[in-house]
Each structure stands twice: as structure tokens, then as C-alpha cells.
């Protein structure tokens, strides 16, 4: 599940970029009021939006209240409706509260009614694209983003919306091209955060970390700096460094004491370090602050690994019965591992048929097929999940188990070992299973077939950085 968390964080930054696009339209209202006093909460949110940055949540709430009050007296202000809709979407994304999404859609549709797209209302269109992404409707997000790009190719906030949409659809080649265009049009922390995600998705771990460090150093507001530090913590966790992850998430929490992604990151790191009682408490705090479906699943699996079966069942039931956005993959994995694998296959095949063909969907569908007794079908999806570039211990473990079931001992041994090299504690529930499966496969035979020479030297387990001359050629776009 961890493989999705960085992109979830970056999505919030993308929503912030849309807020920036709308803030540029009405900022003079704040900035032209004579000698400016120290900026208040709503003004601070505007200032953050100008940079494409995340505003502090209290400032964002103040901005929403300010726009709501203004629109009660000026209901024909299409610009303010667009800004209010974008702010609702950002708040819902950062709090994990889907109740803000209908409010956002109503405001954005009202903006288009007051000022149609044909009259240049790209702000509302971008807002609808960001909202579609927040809901996990990647086709709609792509459509809105491409409309804006066609109308105004130089409008930089369109590109974060498109990057998220292309990634959700599994069109990684298009996502990389959109990233290149964003770098041509804009700079700063938001762009370096996006670059970090792109490098991570290609397996360029050192470059991803360097870009995230750039984002942290360029960030000005505490909320934006905390987001960058949280991203650094996630990257450290993914490469199996829980101590560093704990330090980076702690730095984020010193800036924003209830930063949800870093509360979750601390919980993971503490569990990996054997500090399980603290990890359980931290998961409770994370879920109280940011109840994302993938977090609920992770918290439940930690409880199950500790023998806290009642707590685990409560979390799984919460996930099954809750109202979520972007929950098909967590729900599919829940069904595969803790429920009805055949039903999980049906769910994930429907997601695949919608065109949502990210590596996360491919991995979950492959795993559900395997768990329902269809290992041969599963392998195709497991290969797709592990060969795009992202180095995920969970995906690699899943592939190794599928290959083991198919009696492909060499590939199974290689992928199970690789999963544990990537991150030896990638899951409190599944990492021990990976170690047991590797032991069951056993060591390779001492004798090689005639004519085969054993390679010398250590095997390479780290993906190349983008600066290496031997970097792998770019993979083709996946539909």
C-alpha cells in the first residue's frame, strides 16, 4: 500500500496549483486595499496560492469563509465561485473528507454557469479536473486538463492535473512529457515536488530524493515545507531506512504538528523499528487526522500482525463500509487478503475496464487473481506492475509469490529476495511472509547447466539514476 502515498501527497499539491490559478484572478481584491496591514489568514492563503503552495489549513478555512461571505452578496461572481470550488477540493483532499467534494462541484458548476468556458473560464475547468482527480476519475481529469491545455498551452496549473490523470491511467510516457512541459513553464517547490514523484516512478531513487530536498529548501510556508519533508520521509521508508524516515517525518511534524502523512509515516517507521505500541498509537492519531483508505488497511494489518484480531477486524470493517474516494485498490487488496478474493477480482477488473491502469491497479488485480487461484492470469499483471520502473517491495513480493505458485523457482527466488532488499520491513504482515517464502524456495543449485557461466561480482539491486550513462531506455506508453 505504501506505493501510493507519495502520489497522494503530490495530488494535494496539484490541487494547490489549481487554487493558485484561481487566486491569481482575484488577488488584487486583497492587495489593493491601501497600505496593507500584516496579512490575515485568507490573505496568507492567497499568497501561498500564488506560489502554487499548500496553505495552512486554518488559512484555507479562512479563505473559504471569506469567499462564502462574499458570494452571498455577489452570487454572480464566477471567478469567486471557481476559487471557492478549488479551495473545497483542496481541503477535502488534505483532510480525507469526501463531503467537501459535492460542495466543490456545485461551486465549480456555478462558476461555469456565470462565466462559461467559451468566455475563457479555464479556472473552473481546471477546478473540475482537480476534483475529478481527487475522486479518482482519471478520464474526466484528463479531459478537463487537456481542454485547458488546448485553450491555453502556457497555463502551468493545467500540467499537475494532467500528470495526476496520466499516472492514474497508467500512461506514464504522457505523464513524463507533461512534467517536462511543467518544468519549462514554472519553477519552485511545487515543480521540484512533481519532479521527485516522476523520478520515483521511474526507479531513480537518488534523483527523487534530491528533487524532494530541493522542494523542502525552496518551500517558504510551513505547510509546504512539511509536505516536502513528509515526502522525504516516504522516500526513506520505501528504500528501507526507517530511522531516517522517522527523523524526516518528525521534522515535518515540528512544523505542522498534525501533518497527517507524517503521522502515518511515523507509524510505519516505528513498527519497522519494533516500537509497535507507539506505532499503534500513531496510527490512531493518523487516522483521526487523515482517514485515507490505504491508511485504514495498513493500520489493520499492523494490528493483525500483533495478534490484535478484534482491532484488525474493526479496521477492515471500517474500510469495507466507509465512504471513500480513490479506494478501489485498497478495497481490492482488502478483499484479496482479508475477505473474498473472487469479489476483489470483479472489483479490480471493473477498475481496469475504466482505463485506470496504473501500476497500483495492475499489482492489486494480479494479487487478487492469484489469491483466487488463478496464478497464470495473475503473472501478466504482476509483470506489468514491476516492470514500469517503480521499485516497490510489495509489488515485487506479490510477483515472487505468484511465480512460486507457478513453480518458477529462479524468478520467484530472485523477486522474493529483491523485495526484502528494497525494504526488509515493507509490511508488518507481509514482510515475514516474504522471508518465509524465500526460505521455502531454497538456495539455487550449486551446479549450473552445461555452457552457463555464473556471473562474478555483486548483483545490482538499485535502479539507475537519470544521470547515469547506462540509464535504461524510456518505457513505451502503456494504455
Amino acid at each position: 500500500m505504501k506505493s501510493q502515498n507519495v502520489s497522494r501527497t503530490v495530488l494535494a499539491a496539484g490541487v494547490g496549483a489549481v487554487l493558485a490559478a484561481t487566486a491569481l484572478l482575484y488577488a488584487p481584491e486583497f492587495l489593493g486595499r491601501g497600505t496593507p496591514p500584516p496579512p490575515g489568514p485568507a490573505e496568507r492563503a492567497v499568497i501561498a496560492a500564488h506560489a502554487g503552495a499548500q496553505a495552512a489549513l486554518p488559512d484555507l478555512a479562512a479563505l473559504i469563509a471569506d469567499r462564502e461571505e462574499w458570494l452571498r452578496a455577489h452570487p454572480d461572481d464566477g471567478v469567486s465561485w471557481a476559487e471557492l470550488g478549488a479551495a473545497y477540493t483542496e481541503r477535502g483532499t488534505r483532510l480525507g473528507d469526501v463531503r467537501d467534494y459535492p460542495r466543490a462541484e456545485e461551486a465549480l458548476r456555478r462558476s461555469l454557469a456565470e462565466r462559461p468556458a467559451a468566455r475563457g473560464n479555464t479556472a473552473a475547468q481546471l477546478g473540475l479536473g482537480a476534483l475529478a482527480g481527487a475522486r479518482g476519475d482519471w478520464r474526466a481529469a484528463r479531459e478537463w486538463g487537456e481542454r485547458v491545455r488546448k485553450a491555453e498551452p502556457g497555463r502551468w496549473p493545467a500540467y499537475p492535473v494532467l500528470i495526476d490523470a496520466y499516472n492514474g491511467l497508467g500512461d506514464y510516457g504522457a505523464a513524463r512529457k507533461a512534467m517536462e512541459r511543467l518544468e519549462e513553464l514554472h519553477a519552485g517547490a511545487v515543480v521540484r515536488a512533481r519532479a521527485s514523484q516522476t523520478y520515483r516512478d521511474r526507479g531513480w531513487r537518488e534523483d527523487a530524493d534530491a528533487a524532494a530536498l530541493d522542494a523542502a529548501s525552496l518551500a517558504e510556508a510551513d505547510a509546504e515545507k512539511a509536505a516536502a519533508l513528509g515526502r522525504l520521509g516516504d522516500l526513506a521508508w520505501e528504500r528501507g531506512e526507517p530511522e531516517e524516515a522517522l527523523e524526516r517525518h518528525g521534522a515535518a511534524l515540528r512544523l505542522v504538528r498534525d501533518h497527517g502523512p507524517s503521522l502515518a509515516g511515523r507509524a510505519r517507521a516505528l513498527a519497522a523499528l519494533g516500537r509497535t505500541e507507539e506505532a499503534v498509537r500513531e496510527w490512531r492519531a493518523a487516522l483521526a487526522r487523515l482517514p485515507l483508505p490505504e491508511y485504514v488497511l495498513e493500520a489493520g494489518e499492523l494490528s493483525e500482525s500483533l495478534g490484535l484480531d478484534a482491532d484488525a477486524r474493526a479496521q477492515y470493517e471500517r474500510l469495507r463500509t466507509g465512504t471513500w474516494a480513490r479506494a478501489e485498490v485498497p478495497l481490492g487488496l482488502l478483499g484479496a487478503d482479508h475477505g473474498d478474493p473472487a469479489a476483489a477480482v470483479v472489483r479490480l477488473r471493473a477498475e481496469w475496464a475504466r482505463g485506470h491502469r496504473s501500476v497500483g491497479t495492475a499489482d492489486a488485480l494480479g494479487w487478487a487473481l492469484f489469491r483466487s487461484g488463478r496464478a497464470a492470469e495473475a503473472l501478466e499483471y504482476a509483470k506489468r506492475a514491476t516492470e514500469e520502473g517503480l521499485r516497490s517491495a510489495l509489488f515485487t513480493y506479490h510477483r515472487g509469490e505468484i511465480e512460486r505458485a507457478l513453480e518458477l523457482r529462479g524468478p520467484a527466488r530472485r523477486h522474493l529476495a529483491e523485495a526484502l532488499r528494497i525494504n526488509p520491513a515493507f509490511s508488518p504482515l507481509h514482510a515475514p511472509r516474504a522471508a518465509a517464502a524465500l526460505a521455502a524456495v531454497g538456495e539455487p543449485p550449486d551446479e549450473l547447466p552445461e555452457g552457463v557461466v555464473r556471473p562474478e561480482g555483486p548483483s545490482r539491486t538499485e535502479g539507475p539514476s537519470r544521470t547515469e550513462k547506462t540509464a535504461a531506455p524510456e518505457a513505451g506508453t502503456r494504455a
Side-chain angles (χ1 to χ4, degrees):
M1 293 306 305
K2 180 63 196 73
S3 64
Q4 296 185 347
N5 291 337
V6 170
S7 56
R8 172 82 70 162
T9 303
V10 173
L11 173 69
V15 177
V18 175
L19 182 58
T22 57
L24 287 170
L25 297 174
Y26 77 81
E29 177 191 331
F30 287 120
L31 302 178
R33 294 176 175 173
T35 302
E43 290 90 343
R44 288 197 299 267
V46 172
I47 291 168
H50 268 292
Q54 290 188 15
L57 282 169
D59 293 352
L60 183 62
L63 179 58
I64 288 171
D66 181 274
R67 293 296 88 193
E68 288 174 337
E69 181 181 359
W70 170 264
L71 286 163
R72 281 192 288 271
H74 305 86
D76 59 348
D77 184 348
V79 170
S80 290
W81 281 115
E83 196 283 325
L84 179 61
Y88 280 142
T89 301
E90 181 173 356
R91 185 174 69 178
T93 300
R94 289 173 58 190
L95 292 177
D97 189 350
V98 299
R99 293 174 298 179
D100 265 331
Y101 295 159
R103 301 181 187 115
E105 183 167 8
E106 182 179 359
L108 293 163
R109 297 287 182 188
R110 180 65 181 270
S111 176
L112 285 175
E114 298 294 341
R115 185 185 180 197
R119 289 172 48 198
N121 191 352
T122 54
Q125 295 175 78
L126 278 177
L128 286 165
L131 175 61
R135 286 171 158 168
D137 186 351
W138 301 120
R139 282 182 169 173
R142 179 184 63 186
E143 180 181 346
W144 286 113
E146 288 181 346
R147 283 185 189 180
V148 173
R149 179 169 62 178
K150 183 177 180 181
E152 297 185 31
R155 194 169 179 79
W156 74 264
Y159 293 90
V161 172
L162 286 168
I163 292 167
D164 283 330
Y166 293 141
N167 283 332
L169 295 168
D171 192 348
Y172 294 103
R176 289 191 283 269
K177 290 178 182 177
M179 181 67 233
E180 291 169 3
R181 181 61 174 149
L182 175 61
E183 289 181 306
E184 293 170 1
L185 293 170
H186 197 61
V190 66
V191 176
R192 297 311 294 157
R194 285 282 168 178
S196 177
Q197 178 198 15
T198 299
Y199 299 151
R200 166 190 174 266
D201 291 345
R202 299 188 73 173
W204 296 349
R205 291 182 154 194
E206 292 182 2
D207 299 295
D209 205 64
L213 282 167
D214 288 345
S217 66
L218 291 168
E220 296 183 1
D222 285 352
E224 186 180 25
K225 190 175 287 290
L229 290 167
R231 189 171 299 113
L232 283 162
D234 288 338
L235 292 169
W237 164 256
E238 289 178 355
R239 60 177 183 264
E241 298 175 0
E243 296 91 348
E244 184 172 352
L246 198 63
E247 179 181 344
R248 288 173 165 184
H249 287 304
L253 289 163
R254 285 191 289 275
L255 291 170
V256 178
R257 64 183 180 84
D258 61 347
H259 186 246
S262 287
L263 290 170
R266 273 182 53 83
R268 279 187 214 100
L270 289 166
L273 294 168
R275 296 162 61 180
T276 53
E277 289 186 8
E278 294 174 80
V280 170
R281 289 197 298 270
E282 207 76 3
W283 269 124
R284 290 185 187 131
L287 291 173
R289 167 60 181 79
L290 185 60
L292 298 180
E294 55 266 38
Y295 291 175
V296 176
L297 179 59
E298 287 186 75
E301 290 187 340
L302 173 61
S303 292
E304 183 176 340
S305 74
L306 297 173
L308 304 174
D309 294 341
D311 289 346
R313 285 193 299 270
Q315 295 293 3
Y316 298 155
E317 186 62 17
R318 179 182 181 183
L319 179 53
R320 287 189 189 94
T321 59
T323 301
W324 310 103
R326 299 177 65 195
E328 292 307 303
V329 167
L331 285 167
L333 290 172
L334 175 69
D337 283 322
H338 313 288
D340 184 345
V345 170
V346 172
R347 175 186 291 277
L348 291 163
R349 280 203 188 282
E351 188 74 353
W352 195 261
R354 293 175 66 198
H356 295 177
R357 301 183 178 185
S358 68
V359 290
T361 307
D363 167 72
L365 178 52
W367 188 242
L369 284 164
F370 164 71
R371 294 284 292 172
S372 62
R374 298 151 72 177
E377 285 183 75
L379 186 56
E380 171 193 349
Y381 294 99
K383 287 181 177 179
R384 184 157 182 164
T386 53
E387 292 178 358
E388 177 61 41
L390 175 67
R391 287 176 54 77
S392 164
L394 181 65
F395 295 0
T396 307
Y397 160 63
H398 285 167
R399 179 171 176 175
E401 285 282 37
I402 293 166
E403 290 166 335
R404 185 164 75 104
L406 294 171
E407 299 185 358
L408 301 172
R409 294 174 62 83
R413 182 185 300 109
R414 182 169 67 252
H415 288 115
L416 291 167
E418 183 182 355
L420 294 168
R421 281 195 298 269
I422 292 171
N423 185 352
F426 66 89
S427 162
L429 195 62
H430 297 295
R433 294 174 179 175
L438 181 60
V441 172
E443 295 295 326
D446 291 334
E447 295 184 2
L448 296 177
E450 185 177 351
V452 176
V453 178
R454 190 183 302 277
E456 296 182 359
S459 62
R460 180 180 180 120
T461 62
E462 178 64 69
S465 77
R466 68 188 178 101
T467 56
E468 293 183 9
K469 295 180 180 179
T470 56
E474 183 167 301
T477 297
R478 295 179 183 268

